[in-house]
Amino acid sequence: MKELVGYCHKCGKEIFCLDGFFNGIQLDGKQIHCFPCAEKESDTSGGQSQ
């Protein structure tokens, strides 16, 4: 089963619930992000490079 949950807060991509699993990341209680946008944000927010 595939159900539209909402849209990515960053890029506007549709985010679905697939067979009971949320296919994205929820931030700040209400904002949802797709996985690619969540990965980009985690890369730019304090990641240490060597």
Side-chain angles (χ1 to χ4, degrees), residues 4-37:
L4 179 64
V5 175
Y7 298 91
C8 176
H9 184 73
K10 292 277 186 181
C11 70
K13 179 181 175 182
E14 294 177 328
I15 299 178
F16 293 92
C17 183
L18 302 172
D19 294 324
F21 293 98
F22 178 61
N23 198 20
I25 304 291
Q26 182 177 3
L27 301 173
D28 300 329
K30 294 187 180 185
Q31 292 183 1
I32 57 174
H33 294 185
C34 64
F35 287 128
C37 287

